[in-house]
Every structure is written in structure tokens, then in C-alpha cells.
Amino acid sequence: MNKPPVNSLNLEFITELNYNFQELEKSKCRGIILTSALPKVFSAGLDILEMYKPDLKRAESFWRALQDLWLTLYGLALPTAAAVNGASPAGGCLLATSCEYRVFVEGKHTIGLNETQLGIIAPKWFQDTFVNVIGQRQGEISLLRGSLYTPEEALKIGLVDELATNKEEAIAKCEKYIAAYAKISPGARSATKHQLRKSALSWLEKNRDFDVKIFIGFLEQPQVQKGLDMYIQSLKKK
Amino acid sequence: MNKPPVNSLNLEFITELNYNFQELEKSKCRGIILTSALPKVFSAGLDILEMYKPDLKRAESFWRALQDLWLTLYGLALPTAAAVNGASPAGGCLLATSCEYRVFVEGKHTIGLNETQLGIIAPKWFQDTFVNVIGQRQGEISLLRGSLYTPEEALKIGLVDELATNKEEAIAKCEKYIAAYAKISPGARSATKHQLRKSALSWLEKNRDFDVKIFIGFLEQPQVQKGLDMYIQSLKKK
Amino acid sequence: MNKPPVNSLNLEFITELNYNFQELEKSKCRGIILTSALPKVFSAGLDILEMYKPDLKRAESFWRALQDLWLTLYGLALPTAAAVNGASPAGGCLLATSCEYRVFVEGKHTIGLNETQLGIIAPKWFQDTFVNVIGQRQGEISLLRGSLYTPEEALKIGLVDELATNKEEAIAKCEKYIAAYAKISPGARSATKHQLRKSALSWLEKNRDFDVKIFIGFLEQPQVQKGLDMYIQSLKKK
């Protein structure tokens, strides 16, 4: 990902990511490593400008594109690993937890679904993806608090699988993860993966319109817009 | 809870607890800490006298009140914590695990769903609440055995989040848990919580009559009445 | 289990196991310990000869018998424990994880659902049984990789409950597990167990034909037959 300054996920970037994943899936590559070309950020998550004082038609397209991206990434037949080389809050954490394996570069950044800290709600499929990695109990407490975890903490609760001292090492560890599948039948692997993730994927497939409606209804709440406004002001001060 | 000698949950006490939770939910309080005014017992669980040689009409009211209590407590928008300052078997453990956070006072008491030890069955929603805290595997073995855990054991398996040396410290830790939400949007928090607990809550909402029928059918079994009789005799000896 | 050389599960052996479990269930015995009379193998899993160049009618009977065996074993009212005294891949691991408790004899053998290593897929109910023991995250990574675990590794991830230095000790530990239920009401115990395992059991009960169809369709794939052929050749070399 290389969309300065923070790989924020807007409609265009989401669409591009999804397209690239689908093209890689069709290609003969052995796996996908998701990482950031930026020095300090993996992905800052959803672009708040898509949610702040939104054009509702675009907001709906934005959300449907995000649904598409997740359905693609979470269901990819290819082995997927995230070399998380910087901050990875909210939607950034969704991308990382949608991969099969996560290596987190040590440093002063954090990872987590911090939606409640922003006054917003992680959708059910964000929650399911997250809970499938760290379990129901740890997931509940993390989601309620909107916790962001340092690399050491993230490793301890199983939110990431390994740490690395720098991006190159993280990518090397991801490559090792993917290489471990060299002798495994891709068909057996992908059918196994699909079966394990089917329950979460099916929920969204069956509830796309409902999920869009929730999102739009949420954007239309004055207190949500007020919260986003405050958050944007605080970012400007930084 | 202050219903000597052991905070046993009979129809009246359950109704009162539910009413109080609902009133607190409507009030402007920041959270709820559930604890006991009694020295050695958090709650001994369901009042066995509601089940022993029952009037079936009252037994049905009793069970529906318990369902109501759990639907309220497990789904509360407010932050909830249990300062478990004494024995907490069966229904007492249900109350504790229905809260978001548990601090267990050290001592010679235990916590757990020990229904099988009494010859009875923890209903599905007791099980779901329990498994959502400690996971499927630990939940299965604990429920089959009807295990009761000391404070140290309960901490180790994640059935409680922290230990405390006395009730005051337990309450202080619960307060700290609740205070951590001071800057979190209550709306975002409660929607997140509801979404995480929806699957368990929905099951009971959809199966209330079925669940009552199971309970009543169970009370009508001679061997269950015999088991309760033996248990009551053993309590009298103590 | 005493079907040399490796307790492979063919139609006849599966049918015999199922019959024996059902007879023991009807008897007055206190529990079932599943172990192997062979020195190095608990069970090598499904007999590949039932899948290689199959007669489709027999293949369907084979699969339905396996479904029956699992529905019986996973749902047994009696306490069940596996004294895993040797290699326990694939279907062997299914048998072990379908019991309530597992003791693994130390040695140079392994346990796991290694289906992807063989180019095949562990069915949904194999996965559910496995994930109910070790959790979703560890289950996913293990199933994708087709990992086989040494006794020490299996203990660490919770795939087995205890280790033993030899078969006698394993059986003694299983006996101790079963004896712990001596004072527990069998009716309360079995109803508790059934309720905990109902979701997995119900899935197969409702999807038996679908599951057979998947299996047969899978056998009819040329690459699967090719994979089995290669595997059989490699076994012959050994």
C-alpha cells in the first residue's frame, strides 16, 4: 500500500486494492504479502472524509466497496500474510486480521479495533474477523475499550503471530509463512480455508443491504458527525 | 445483594434485581458493580426451594423472571463488573459471568457452574455465557464435571479477570474498570456490546417458551426431585 | 482397536467400532477408553483404499458409516477418553478429538488433521470437532498447514490434555478422568454434554446427504485420485 500520507481507505483506494487482490488471485503467484510503502503507518483505516458530512450516494458506494474488499481478501484462495510495519488501527487492523498470518514490526505504533474510542462501531464482520483471531473473551474486552496494542501486547494476546525488528525481517517471515505451503495442494488448502471462514463470509453475503443501511443510518446521526468533527479538529492540531 | 443468608435467587429477589438493573440503566450512573453485602457468599445461585416440590405455576413465573433478569443484565448498555466477594456457584456464577468484568476476592470460596454436581443441568444460555468467557474446551470440561474453582484457579482459566485481597480492593478494581470508559461514547460502546452478545441473547429471546418447557419438564422428573431432596438433607446436616 | 497393521478405518472396521460404542452405551459400564492394541499406531485414519479408484456405491456406504460412527462417538452419554498410544493422523485424530479427554503417550509419533498434506480436505464436522478442542485461530492455522504435532506440541496447544510415558500410564490417566464422574448424575452429565455439542452434531444430522455428495464429488476429481496414487506409491516405498 502506497497512498501517502497514511494509506487511508477511501473509495478509490479500496477499489484499487480489491482489484489488485483479484488479479493476484488469478495469477500464478504463490501468495500475497500485504505491507505499506510508508515509513510509520501500515494503514490508518477507513478515510474519515468518506464519513464526515457525506454524500449519501457516495457513502453507500464506499461501504459496498469495503464489503467487496473484505469478501475478496478474507476469502482469498492464495496464502495471505500481513507485514504490519506501522500503525494499524480500525480498518488497518481489519486488513491485517483478514490475512492468515501477521508479523508486526517492533516500534512505537499500535494495532487494534479502536472504533469505540472514535465514537463509532466496528461492524459485525470486523468483529467476527477479530474474534476469530483472538477469541470471544479477549475480543469483547478489546472491542468495548477500543484498545490499541503495542507489538509486545499484540503478540501476547495472539493478535499477531510474530514480531520483527524491521520491515525486511517482517517480509522475510511472511515469505517463510507462505513458502510453507509450497508442497500443499492449493485446491485442498483453499477449500479448507473457505470452509473455516464460511460462517463469517456468509453472514455478510446474506446481509449486505442490512449492513449498508446500518452504516448510512449511523452516518446520519448528529452525534456521530459531531464526534467525527471533534476527531478531525484534533488531527488538525497534530 | 443483601438477602441473608446466601443471596439465593428466588422469584422475589430475581424480580427486584431485574427492576434495579433496569432503573440504573435509565439513570445517569456510569456503571454497575454487582457485589454482596454478606460476608462469605456472593450468591448461592437459584433458590432450590423454587424447584423442590414446586407449584408449577410459580415455577414457570420463577423461570421467566430469571430469563428476564439475564436478558437485562447480559444486555445492559452500562458497563458492568462483579466484585465477587464470596462463594459463587451455579446461578451466582451466571450473574458474575453476565457482567463484563470480574474481580474475585481471595479466600476459601469457589466459583463455577456446578449444576451436574447437583444432578441438574445448566441451561443453554448459562452455558453460552460461561463459554463466552472461558472458551469452548475449558467450558465443556468444567460443565461436565460441575467444577468449582478457587480464586487462583479461576484466574488461571480466565473465569475471573483479577483477584483482590478484600472486598474494598475488589470494588476499587471494578471502579477502575468502569472508569476506563469515561471518555468512550456510551452509544458506540453499548452497540458494540450488543452486537457481540447478540447471538446468545437472541437464542433465549427466540426460545423462551421452549426453555421454560425444558425447565418444567425437568422439575417433574422423580430423580430430579430425589436429587434435590438429598441435597436439601445434606444442607440441613451442615 | 486391533486391526493390524495400522487400525485404518475401512467400512467394516468403522461399522464394528460404531456397533461396539452403541453396545457399550447400552451396557452399565462407567465410561469408554479408546486405545490401540498395536505398538506404534493409535489409528492411521481413513483407509485410503476406500477412496482410491472407488466403487461409488461402496464409497457412499463407507462415508455414511463414518458419519454414523462420529454421530455416535461425539454424542455418547458415557464419559469417553482416548489413550493415544501412537500415531494419530487425520481420521485417527478425529476419533481422539471426538472423545472428551485425551492422554498422549510420549514418543516419536504425532497427532493432527493433516488432510491438506495429502491433497484432501477435512470435512466440516472434522473441523468443528477439532476447533472445539483447540479454538478457531489455532484450528485454522493447523488445518491449513495440515500440521502434525509431537506429544509436547500437542500438549502445548491443548490438542491433548495430558502426556504419559507409556500406554499403561495413559490408560490409568483416562481411568482417573472417567472415575471423576462416579458421583455425578449420568442424566445431568449427558444432557450437559449433548447441549454443548449439539451445534456440531446438528449440522451433520441436517447435512448428511450434502456431506456425502461433497465426498463423492471429491473422489471423482482426477487430481484427487492422482494425489492418492502418489501417496500410495510413497507408502509402498517405505
Side-chain angles (χ1 to χ4, degrees), chain B residues 141-187:
Chain B
I141 211 85
S142 300
L143 284 160
L144 288 177
R145 289 169 164 163
S147 301
L148 289 170
Y149 295 101
T150 64
E152 293 69 27
E153 290 166 345
L155 182 67
K156 196 179 168 194
I157 64 167
L159 184 51
V160 302
D161 298 289
E162 288 191 78
L163 299 185
T165 53
N166 54 48
K167 183 180 171 181
E168 290 64 39
E169 190 188 330
I171 289 176
K173 286 184 171 180
C174 288
E175 285 172 342
K176 197 178 163 195
Y177 171 77
I178 290 168
Y181 292 110
K183 293 185 177 173
I184 301 247
S185 147

Side-chain angles (χ1 to χ4, degrees), chain A residues 181-198:
Chain A
Y181 293 109
K183 292 185 179 173
I184 301 244
S185 147
R189 211 198 81 91
S190 66
T192 299
K193 178 176 175 180
H194 186 256
Q195 200 169 248
L196 280 158
R197 297 188 166 193
K198 190 181 177 183

